[in-house]
Amino acid sequence: MPAASLAPLFNKVLIANRGEIALRVQRACRELGIQTVMVYSEGDSSAKYLRLADEVVCIGPAPISASYLNGAAIIAAAEITGAQAIHPGYGLLSENADFAEQVEKSGFTFIGPSADIIRLMGDKIAAKTTVKKYNLKTIPGVEGALPADVGEAATLIAKIGFPTVIKAAAGGGGRGMRVVHSEVQTRNILPVLRSEARAAFGDDTVYAERFLDNPRHIEVQVLADGKNAIHLGTRDCSLQRRHQKVLEEAPAFDVPQKKHDAICEACAAMCRKIGYQGAGTFEFLYADQEFYFIEMNTRVQVEHPVSEMITGVDIVAQQIRIAAGQPLAYRQKDILFRGHAIECRINAEDPKTFLPAPGRIDMYHPPGGIGVRVDSHIFSGYEVPPYYDSLIAKLVVHADTRAAALVRLRSVLREFVITGISTTLPLHEELAEDEVFISGKAGIAFLETRKQ
């Protein structure tokens, strides 16, 4: 398609996030020739990406409820700076349908899918019902939402067998879920979980499904423009603690090629049929060579770099182009998968207890070399604030094979220097040498059950 026929890109984009993803989106905008507006809280006033932005706006004090979750302040910042679109990054307001709707009603473009799609996929019960129509399996469980009556709900759960996991319909990221092993435990847990769900998500709807023992967590990256949709293959995100991902790799290791291709195409096909726009991720539990859908994230993921490394596709740039009305720049036949990539999430945490470790970074020296990428917003002298998520850097390596990527990972982890605070770098050094992880047999329970 001739360049002249493409819809024009935005002149200015407001980035409604912080940390490494704010810098990542800023870089994509600069490469596209788009000016950026960075919003920030008082707790992030020293962030280096603020110095790289065309304009900056302070939207409130350090607590996220008064700043990064203040949708009205973010929209007001877009109004006073003349931004045309808002990129929400990940987390925070990125999957808040009400915010996406208000952005559009205020005359700006929300860089992501429509509010209706966000609502559909954000409701885990509705999402499961939807994907079943498009040949995606779900974990066997109680059909629909659990009834309000505790006794009735417990009886239904007992019929599908134990162990069972009960989840908040509006939950996500491992929050709002409990595993039960008996009917008595179910009766005790249900009122507590409903109360927690109401407090955390504003919705006490819960559902139940069979608990799979130590499956792998595999996801499919998609891009779609409302008509065309493609996949960028799979990622294995099985290394988790407290349901939060620690290390990811692409493609998923040791999945039969036919099953790999079939699940990826099924996800892309569903996106075409529902008119999905933007980047998205289908998440599955994988057990006994079967994929079971658990949720869809309607945004860019923390782990998107591993998909970029094996395909050469700039996912964030594609998000921006699609939101501007341009058609997806690729067809599935254009996507060539090359090699293997592994990403380590470096958190400001104690590597054994995982307790947050904010503070001043005395020295920061990231590794480099062929096949090495570091996404980070930190620098020597940076003060890691105590108010936000503890992610401070993502180390990504790429090589021709998984074995070669592991060799490269071990090498560059030894080069990575962050002093002044505790980080999870030592944990990643251990994992890179762990025989179970190296074998590709680590499931989602591995990290919490391994001996340190």
Side-chain angles (χ1 to χ4, degrees), residues 348-430:
E349 296 175 350
D350 183 282
K352 293 191 180 297
T353 65
F354 299 115
L355 290 174
R360 187 180 188 277
I361 294 174
D362 294 331
M363 181 183 296
Y364 172 65
H365 181 75
I370 189 170
V372 179
R373 168 177 169 177
V374 178
D375 283 15
S376 179
H377 61 292
I378 66 173
F379 50 87
S380 296
Y382 176 71
E383 191 81 26
V384 178
Y387 316 105
Y388 313 117
D389 184 89
S390 59
L391 180 67
I392 56 174
K394 300 186 307 197
L395 169 63
V396 188
V397 297
H398 179 258
D400 290 339
T401 65
R402 185 174 188 265
L406 283 167
V407 170
R408 180 161 289 160
L409 179 63
R410 295 184 199 108
S411 175
V412 299
L413 278 168
R414 287 193 288 270
E415 293 181 34
F416 210 147
V417 178
I418 303 176
T419 65
I421 62 170
S422 295
T423 75
T424 52
L425 276 170
L427 171 64
H428 288 293
E429 290 187 68
E430 289 181 19

Side-chain angles (χ1 to χ4, degrees), residues 14-250:
L14 182 145
I15 301 169
N17 216 295
R18 63 170 303 279
E20 65 85 18
I21 190 61
L23 181 55
R24 169 70 183 91
V25 176
Q26 187 182 62
R27 286 170 173 160
C29 287
R30 285 204 305 267
E31 291 185 12
L32 293 171
I34 298 172
Q35 292 186 338
T36 58
V37 177
M38 294 301 314
V39 295
Y40 69 98
S41 75
E42 292 172 356
D44 275 330
S45 59
S46 65
K48 72 177 181 182
Y49 48 78
L50 300 182
R51 286 171 270 170
L52 300 173
D54 295 287
E55 296 176 72
V56 298
V57 179
C58 181
I59 53 171
I64 61 171
S65 60
S67 52
Y68 296 111
L69 293 181
N70 187 341
I74 292 169
I75 292 172
E79 290 173 344
I80 64 175
T81 58
Q84 297 164 295
I86 296 176
H87 195 302
Y90 55 67
L92 301 177
L93 293 173
S94 63
E95 291 180 290
N96 186 307
D98 292 341
F99 175 67
E101 191 169 68
Q102 193 57 51
V103 167
E104 297 288 341
K105 286 182 177 178
S106 299
F108 306 102
T109 299
F110 180 79
I111 299 180
S114 68
D116 287 342
I117 291 290
I118 294 173
R119 286 195 182 94
L120 173 66
M121 303 315 294
D123 182 328
K124 303 302 182 290
I125 297 173
K128 287 178 66 177
T129 301
T130 300
V131 301
K132 286 179 183 179
K133 300 175 184 177
Y134 301 105
N135 302 316
L136 294 176
K137 288 185 179 181
T138 60
I139 301 170
V142 177
E143 196 71 29
L146 289 174
D149 182 80
V150 172
E152 187 181 350
T155 300
L156 289 173
I157 289 173
K159 287 181 180 178
I160 65 173
F162 297 102
T164 298
V165 60
I166 306 173
K167 299 181 179 180
R175 298 181 303 154
M177 57 187 289
R178 298 287 180 88
V179 178
V180 292
H181 298 270
S182 68
E183 190 167 348
V184 171
Q185 187 183 18
T186 302
R187 291 173 181 269
N188 292 332
I189 287 294
L190 270 170
V192 175
L193 184 56
R194 285 191 187 277
S195 177
E196 290 177 352
R198 189 183 308 111
F201 314 114
D203 183 351
D204 67 357
T205 305
V206 295
Y207 65 101
E209 57 193 23
R210 285 299 305 271
F211 178 72
L212 300 180
D213 183 31
N214 201 30
R216 289 164 64 191
H217 184 125
I218 295 177
E219 56 192 34
V220 176
Q221 174 71 60
V222 293
L223 283 170
D225 62 11
K227 295 180 180 178
N228 181 31
I230 62 169
H231 68 80
L232 300 182
T234 56
R235 297 187 288 255
D236 191 311
C237 307
S238 299
L239 289 193
Q240 305 177 8
R241 48 93 182 165
R242 295 196 290 270
H243 305 289
Q244 297 299 307
K245 298 165 187 172
V246 170
L247 180 151
E248 305 95 356
E249 53 186 314

